[in-house]
Amino acid sequence: MPYGIIGTWRMAFEGAQIALQMLKSGEWAKFALERAVKEVEDYPYYKSVGYGGLPNENCEVELDAAFMDGDTLSIGAVAGIRDYKNPISIALQLSEKSFNSFLVGVGAEEYAHKEGFERKNMLTERAKKIWEKRISDMKEKNLSPYDGHDTVGIIALDERGSMAVGTSTSGLFMKKKGRVGDSPLSGSGFYVDSQVGGASATGLGEEIMKGCLSYEIVRLMQDDRTPQEACDKALYEFHHKLANKKGKQPGAMSVVALNNKGLWGVASNVEFSFVAGTNKEDLKIYLAYPEGSRKTIIKEANKEWLEAYEARIKKPI
Ligand code: ASP
C-alpha cells in the first residue's frame, strides 16, 4: 500500500524526513505527522512557527494550530495560545474530544496547563530583535507591519490508508492581539478525509478563509480530480474571483494536497517552497510558481536556492 507526506515550505523538510521514515516502519499517519510538526515548532530559526515564531504587535507570541484525523473527521484546534512548546500536540489531543475541541487564548492555556503540556517562553531574543527592528522601520520607512508569515501544514498517508493533516503557525507578524488566521479553521487551513485525501493552505489567512480552499480541494479530489488538478482549479479560480471582486491582486495563497493513493499536488500565486516524498520517491524540496496564473510549474530546489535560504534564516539581525 502507498504511503507519503507533503508539507508546506522548506521548513517542513527535517520533520517530514523523520515522519517519512516512521511511515515506512508502519507508524500511523497521525503520529508521524505530529512528530513532523513538532520538529518545526522546536527549531528556533523558523520564524513563523512555534519557538522563535514572530510576535504580535504587543511582542507576544500567539500561536494557532490544528489537527484533523481523516478516518473519523475529528478535529482539534487551538488559537492565540501563548507559552506552550508544542501546540500541535494540544490540538491532536483536543481532536479526541466530542465537545470543546477548539479552544482559544486563556481557555486553551488553562486546558494545556491542566493536561500537563510542556510550557515554554516561545519568544526568542532573535524574534524580539526582529520585532524591535520592524517597529523602528514602520516609523522611519513607513513600512507595512504585515509582511511576514508562513504556516507549516503537513498531510500524511500511512500504509493502512489512514490519513491526517496538521497545521501550526505564529500567524501574521505584528498581528493584533487575538487575531486568528485560517490555519486552525477547518476547511480553510486544512481538511482531510481518508476516503479521498487531504489539503492544507498557507499564505494570507484573511484571503484563504474567504475561499475555504482546503475543503474545496478535497471536494474536487472526491470528484475524481488528481491532487494537482484540484489544487490548480481551486487556487487559481479563487485567485481570479478575488482579484475581480477586489479590483486588485489578492494576497499570497499556496496550497498542498495528497490523495489516498499517494499522489500529490500544489498550487500558489507566489513563489512557494514545499517538500514531498512517498514510498516511490525520496523526500525532496521543491519550488512552485504560478504559470499564467492557471497552472503550476514545479522544480526541485537547487543548491544555490538552498544555500541562500540557509543564509537568510540565520542572518544576523
Ligand atoms: N495563513 C497564516 C495566517 O494567516 C500565515 C501563513 O500561512 O502564511 O495566519
Side-chain angles (χ1 to χ4, degrees):
M1 289 294 276
Y3 59 85
I5 193 158
I6 188 163
T8 55
W9 306 110
R10 152 71 185 85
M11 65 178 157
F13 185 72
E14 290 79 8
Q17 221 169 15
I18 300 169
L20 195 60
Q21 276 306 315
M22 291 168 76
L23 293 169
K24 193 175 173 189
S25 317
E27 184 54 276
W28 285 87
K30 66 178 190 175
F31 297 125
L33 166 131
E34 181 192 22
R35 182 69 183 75
V37 176
K38 280 170 83 170
E39 196 68 21
V40 189
E41 289 177 337
D42 291 344
Y43 190 65
Y45 287 100
Y46 296 144
K47 61 184 168 70
S48 57
V49 176
Y51 184 58
L54 293 178
N56 66 13
E57 63 175 9
N58 301 344
C59 204
E60 299 160 321
V61 183
E62 289 186 317
L63 302 166
D64 297 344
F67 170 83
M68 182 166 187
D69 182 327
D71 296 349
T72 56
L73 304 186
S74 302
I75 289 170
V78 289
I81 190 168
R82 291 176 307 168
D83 294 334
Y84 278 89
K85 183 173 176 284
N86 293 116
I88 188 65
S89 300
I90 306 169
L92 194 151
Q93 182 172 310
L94 284 169
S95 75
E96 288 152 13
K97 313 267 176 227
S98 307
F99 300 98
N100 308 304
S101 55
F102 187 170
L103 299 177
V104 304
V106 176
E109 287 158 16
E110 280 181 10
Y111 171 84
H113 178 65
K114 283 193 194 127
E115 292 296 315
F117 284 96
E118 194 176 334
R119 291 193 72 123
K120 183 168 180 171
N121 175 5
M122 300 299 269
L123 182 67
T124 59
E125 271 309 308
R126 185 177 172 83
K128 196 166 159 223
K129 273 194 199 156
I130 298 175
W131 181 87
E132 285 163 354
K133 185 167 184 301
R134 180 62 61 91
I135 295 278
S136 71
D137 283 354
M138 277 157 55
K139 281 197 203 116
E140 283 160 27
K141 303 182 196 156
N142 204 15
L143 214 74
S144 159
Y146 305 124
D147 174 24
H149 47 83
D150 284 348
T151 299
V152 63
I154 293 190
I155 311 154
L157 162 71
D158 68 34
E159 285 177 334
R160 301 166 198 85
S162 176
M163 295 194 76
V165 61
T167 58
S168 185
T169 186
S170 51
L172 203 59
F173 180 28
M174 286 288 170
K175 64 190 178 184
K176 291 263 174 248
K177 186 179 175 69
R179 179 262 187 194
V180 177
D182 61 302
S183 309
L185 299 185
S186 162
S188 289
F190 65 92
Y191 200 81
V192 66
D193 177 347
S194 304
Q195 287 174 305
V196 182
S200 185
T202 176
L204 185 59
E206 282 76 359
E207 304 285 50
I208 294 165
M209 63 174 86
K210 294 170 188 156
C212 300
L213 284 178
S214 295
Y215 183 78
E216 178 64 3
I217 292 167
V218 175
R219 195 190 65 77
L220 289 164
M221 292 195 292
Q222 185 159 17
D223 284 350
D224 286 335
R225 291 217 170 59
T226 64
Q228 189 55 51
E229 288 165 356
C231 287
D232 283 346
K233 186 169 168 60
L235 189 114
Y236 300 121
E237 283 184 7
F238 185 62
H239 172 96
H240 290 295
K241 178 188 270 206
L242 267 188
N244 282 337
K245 286 189 188 286
K246 290 165 68 130
K248 61 177 186 181
Q249 289 304 301
M253 296 183 282
S254 307
V255 290
V256 295
L258 177 71
N259 72 9
N260 64 1
K261 299 180 187 77
L263 296 175
W264 53 262
V266 301
S268 179
N269 63 358
V270 291
E271 179 186 293
F272 168 57
S273 62
F274 67 98
V275 307
T278 66
N279 54 312
K280 293 200 186 121
E281 33 173 0
D282 289 345
L283 190 83
K284 290 191 196 98
I285 301 169
Y286 297 95
L287 298 175
Y289 310 86
E291 185 188 48
S293 60
R294 291 272 165 215
K295 276 192 169 332
T296 311
I297 299 178
I298 298 169
K299 292 185 199 156
E300 209 180 312
N302 62 23
K303 197 161 161 278
E304 290 76 61
W305 189 91
L306 293 170
E307 284 171 2
Y309 176 89
E310 198 62 24
R312 190 168 68 242
I313 66 166
K314 296 195 175 149
K315 196 170 103 193
I317 307 302

